[in-house]
Amino acid sequence: MSTRPPYVKRLIDQGKFIFLSRPRRFGKSLLLSTIEAYFRGEKELFNGTWLGDNETEWAQYPVLHFDMSIACGNDVSMNPTFAACCGITQQEILDYFEAGISKFCEENGWTREKTLSVLKLKYDSYRFTKSEELVYNPYSLLLAFNDVNLGDYWIKSGTSKVFVDYLPRSEFDLLELQDLWVDQSRMEATYSSEDAIPLLFQTGYLTIKEFKRDEMGEVLYRLGLPNGEVRNALINQLMPKYMGISLSEFTNSYSDLKKKFTSGDVPGWIGIR
């Protein structure tokens, strides 16, 4: 068991008012429920955990629920201390999901290394701070282990209407996603028709790939697509909108494109709409 205090304890010690932003279905509600149980003094729920073994005062406090429409308080969303607060790390997969890994190996005839590599490409590589600690999409990963299937669970759970309908009407160029350097203020800003980057980053369709400091010492972040699941979302949901064709038309064209490209039929794939 880790000797490092868990995120619940560190968040509580951080201050009275905390704001943490993460994409949908990344465990924010579960985290709040855990914090609520802690403040209610429900010690039995923490048996076998760091808090259960180390916390000496289990005082009971009244817990109030508020529906907050604005962000306030100490924003720790890009604080490296809480880089992996929501999500599942590679080490946590190795520590707690051996049964799921084994099922994938058996179902597909893969080695353990192959299974871990495929899961990583499909669901990993979310990075929310300067820290290089990456996390998997917890919603998709847990359902993948449950179903022993590499589904696009997070995407199918409720793609934002704003994302699908707003972006094709904006001035955003999808080609920018290949190598996009931005400062932190742009990532945290409210999105507009002139700049879709805040929307894409805050909703989980873009993530931090690396960061550097410019000549003035300001931090710049390179953003990109996190994994295969998000890449599928852009292909299947956004591209038809941008091209002005139906999803079925796009799916057929995309399938033909892949076949011709992999077979070396360059004239053929150039001619596909």
Side-chain angles (χ1 to χ4, degrees):
M1 181 182 300
S2 173
T3 58
R4 188 182 188 189
Y7 287 114
V8 169
K9 182 66 172 176
R10 281 181 272 167
L11 280 169
I12 292 170
D13 292 342
Q14 186 75 17
K16 292 183 178 181
F17 303 100
I18 302 296
F19 174 74
L20 175 67
S21 173
R22 288 293 183 269
R24 60 185 175 83
R25 297 197 181 277
F26 261 70
K28 299 184 296 296
S29 296
L30 178 60
L31 176 62
L32 286 175
S33 296
T34 305
I35 294 174
E36 177 180 353
Y38 172 83
F39 278 115
R40 289 188 183 279
E42 298 175 353
K43 181 179 180 180
E44 67 281 0
L45 298 180
F46 296 88
N47 289 338
T49 68
W50 188 96
L51 282 171
D53 294 338
N54 293 273
E55 185 61 88
T56 57
E57 298 182 9
W58 286 92
Q60 295 184 12
Y61 298 91
V63 177
L64 304 178
H65 293 258
F66 295 95
D67 183 8
M68 305 297 291
S69 60
I70 60 171
C72 60
N74 181 15
D75 188 351
V76 298
S77 302
M78 297 188 69
N79 186 330
T81 301
F82 304 102
C85 184
C86 293
I88 298 174
T89 66
Q90 185 70 29
Q91 188 59 51
E92 287 170 336
I93 289 182
L94 300 178
D95 290 343
Y96 306 116
F97 294 96
E98 192 58 46
I101 295 171
S102 297
K103 286 183 180 180
F104 258 101
C105 293
E106 296 171 7
E107 181 73 18
N108 298 284
W110 294 340
T111 64
R112 187 172 184 275
E113 290 71 23
K114 169 71 173 179
T115 296
L116 289 172
S117 175
V118 170
L119 290 171
K120 184 175 183 63
L121 289 172
K122 183 73 173 182
Y123 303 120
D124 192 24
S125 298
Y126 281 96
R127 177 179 173 185
F128 301 108
T129 75
K130 292 184 290 185
S131 169
E132 295 184 3
E133 193 164 14
L134 306 177
V135 294
Y136 285 73
N137 183 317
Y139 182 79
S140 290
L141 183 66
L142 293 176
L143 285 176
F145 278 135
N146 182 72
D147 298 345
V148 196
N149 179 56
L150 295 169
D152 293 331
Y153 298 104
W154 181 69
I155 299 303
K156 294 177 181 178
S157 68
T159 301
S160 171
K161 180 177 176 62
V162 174
F163 174 72
V164 175
D165 293 343
Y166 161 78
L167 284 180
R169 299 197 305 268
S170 72
E171 301 175 8
F172 181 67
D173 184 355
L174 281 176
L175 295 178
E176 288 187 38
L177 299 182
Q178 300 301 316
D179 189 26
L180 182 64
W181 286 93
V182 301
D183 59 26
Q184 185 166 326
S185 62
R186 185 179 179 189
M187 294 160 64
E188 296 176 333
T190 302
Y191 64 83
S192 65
S193 60
E194 291 76 29
D195 189 6
I197 297 307
L199 173 67
L200 289 169
F201 176 69
Q202 294 165 18
T203 55
Y205 291 93
L206 285 178
T207 196
I208 297 171
K209 292 296 184 179
E210 62 178 303
F211 82 97
K212 66 180 180 181
R213 295 186 182 275
D214 62 17
E215 61 276 6
M216 299 296 293
E218 297 294 329
V219 173
L220 297 176
Y221 296 89
R222 184 172 71 86
L223 304 182
L225 304 181
N227 51 44
E229 183 177 22
V230 174
R231 190 175 299 109
N232 287 345
L234 290 175
I235 291 173
N236 295 324
Q237 297 177 15
L238 272 185
M239 290 305 295
K241 294 265 186 182
Y242 272 93
M243 296 173 66
I245 60 178
S246 68
L247 177 59
S248 61
E249 288 179 295
F250 175 78
T251 300
N252 292 334
S253 296
Y254 182 63
S255 178
D256 290 342
L257 177 63
K258 288 197 295 185
K259 290 179 181 178
K260 293 182 182 298
F261 185 79
T262 54
S263 66
D265 184 4
V266 177
W269 69 260
I270 289 178
I272 294 177
R273 179 182 176 184

